[in-house]
Amino acid sequence: MNVYLDAGHHVSFGTFPLRGVELATAMRSAAEIGYRSFDTAQMYENEREVGDCLSTLGLARDDLFITTKVSPNNYAASAFLSSVEQSLKDLRLDQVDVLLLHWPDQHGDNAEALDLLQQAHDRGYAAHIGVSNYTISMMEDAVSRLSVHPVANQVEFHPFLNAEKLRSASARLDLPLTAYCAVARGKMAQSPLLDDIGQAHGKTGTQVGLRWTLQKGVAINAMSTKADNLRLNFELQDFQLSDAEMSRIDALMEEGYRIVNSDLVPTAPQWD
Ligand SMILES: NC(=O)c1ccc[n+]([C@@H]2O[C@H](COP(=O)([O-])OP(=O)(O)OC[C@H]3O[C@@H](n4cnc5c(N)ncnc54)[C@H](OP(=O)(O)O)[C@@H]3O)[C@@H](O)[C@H]2O)c1
């Protein structure tokens, strides 16, 4: 089961690092194009602005699909649930669709944060819960510790990074990956191979890279401030990559290009 893909949210609009007018303009464009799934986080410090914008879109709550993430700064028992209550207040929601732990606990023990995430679910603050930036052993711990099955592990995922071990563990555990940095921050637009495959389908190289991710069974988070890019990133359902094309793109994974690395996030885990 993949709560994003099953509900038709093959692409979510990722709101980091947008704020203010830029955020509101991009969210409105995204909604006009057809995006109904929006991804935010306590760490992005934009939940209130996201909530303000959602309330002006004129969309029914049931049509929206909202993900937020608890910051590791709020993993203490004294802070966790009240921080989620604040997120709900800022987002102007009674419940988010998916609540994630944003990063593994920096002291290496995820048990308390997972228990608190479970409590947030039990209180009705989230319809579904999950994790982000979890390694294979962390995913195994999460699945065995939580009493409801987690629905997502949001990780960096694009054709220039080999996440195959993580992906096969996610299939074994029935804990779907969702992709962040899914357009590799624009790098897919510069790939001659993706561009070449795109020409055969009347698509851009970025669309080919995103389609590759979808055909791996991974739902996408992508951010753009431009309506044209937002539209291109959304229009992925009208073509199919062949097995041969998928294999050619697989070869790009050997580049091992990780954007959100330990220079950027010193507490990032040792990836599998
Ligand atoms: N869980 C986590 O730890 C984590 C970490 C990072 C991100 N995220 C989430 O994932 C979302 C997406 O990740 P991201 O924003 O870091 O990376 P991304 O979506 O891969 O890259 C966004 C950048 O790519 C450009 N871009 C978008 N579409 C394009 C296209 N079709 N052609 C060329 N360039 C394009 C955008 O520029 P323009 O504005 O010029 O289009 C923007 O600068 C975030 O917004 C956030 O919600 C989560």
Side-chain angles (χ1 to χ4, degrees):
M1 171 180 156
N2 185 318
V3 292
Y4 293 91
L5 297 179
D6 294 351
H9 305 299
H10 62 296
V11 186
S12 301
F13 177 78
T15 62
F16 178 78
L18 302 179
R19 305 289 306 268
V21 175
E22 196 173 41
L23 171 67
T25 307
M27 276 183 70
R28 261 197 299 277
S29 295
E32 276 164 27
I33 288 161
Y35 290 74
R36 293 293 178 267
S37 177
F38 295 88
D39 177 272
T40 181
Q42 294 173 350
M43 279 170 101
Y44 303 166
E45 297 182 345
N46 65 7
E47 287 173 307
R48 183 129 57 112
E49 293 166 297
V50 169
D52 288 348
C53 188
L54 289 174
S55 71
T56 65
L57 292 177
L59 294 167
R61 173 66 186 93
D62 283 355
D63 291 335
L64 291 166
F65 199 85
I66 309 301
T67 300
T68 197
K69 316 179 196 82
V70 183
S71 165
N73 293 338
N74 292 322
Y75 286 175
S78 57
F80 193 102
L81 292 168
S82 57
S83 82
V84 179
E85 286 160 9
Q86 186 63 47
S87 291
L88 292 174
K89 195 170 163 214
D90 288 345
L91 288 164
R92 304 195 196 187
L93 300 173
D94 298 328
Q95 184 182 64
V96 287
D97 296 283
V98 183
L99 182 68
L100 306 177
L101 298 177
H102 202 150
W103 283 93
D105 182 271
Q106 55 182 325
H107 306 297
D109 181 3
N110 294 311
E112 186 174 26
L114 288 166
D115 290 348
L116 291 161
L117 183 70
Q118 180 66 55
Q119 284 181 39
H121 174 270
D122 296 346
R123 287 191 185 191
Y125 295 167
H128 304 284
I129 51 179
V131 295
S132 177
N133 297 300
Y134 265 36
T135 62
I136 294 172
S137 64
M138 291 172 189
M139 286 199 287
E140 289 165 348
D141 285 349
V143 167
S144 61
R145 187 153 191 107
L146 292 167
S147 50
V148 289
H149 195 73
V151 299
N153 181 18
Q154 188 181 118
V155 295
E156 181 169 341
F157 197 97
H158 49 70
F160 307 110
L161 181 67
N162 191 335
E164 286 300 275
K165 279 189 194 155
L166 203 62
R167 196 173 66 92
S168 61
S170 103
R172 170 171 56 82
L173 295 165
D174 189 24
L175 173 46
L177 301 181
T178 59
Y180 71 70
C181 294
V183 302
R185 301 229 168 127
K187 182 175 158 74
M188 294 203 303
Q190 273 115 49
S191 163
L193 173 68
L194 297 179
D195 187 56
D196 183 50
I197 294 173
Q199 283 184 25
H201 294 278
K203 293 286 178 180
T204 67
T206 300
Q207 287 175 306
V208 169
L210 291 172
R211 180 71 211 179
W212 173 89
T213 293
L214 278 185
Q215 287 186 215
K216 295 271 179 189
V218 176
I220 290 165
N221 271 293
M223 185 286 281
S224 173
T225 54
K226 300 193 175 75
D228 286 350
N229 285 346
L230 283 167
R231 187 177 301 284
L232 289 169
N233 297 348
F234 199 71
E235 290 176 347
L236 307 174
Q237 305 284 57
D238 56 352
F239 73 114
Q240 179 81 18
L241 298 170
S242 67
D243 290 347
E245 288 169 328
M246 289 293 286
S247 301
R248 284 177 72 201
I249 300 167
D250 283 351
L252 296 175
M253 292 192 288
E254 293 320 309
E255 193 172 322
Y257 176 71
R258 187 177 288 284
I259 298 165
V260 181
N261 58 26
S262 52
D263 294 342
L264 223 56
V265 180
T267 54
Q270 284 293 322
W271 287 105
D272 300 290

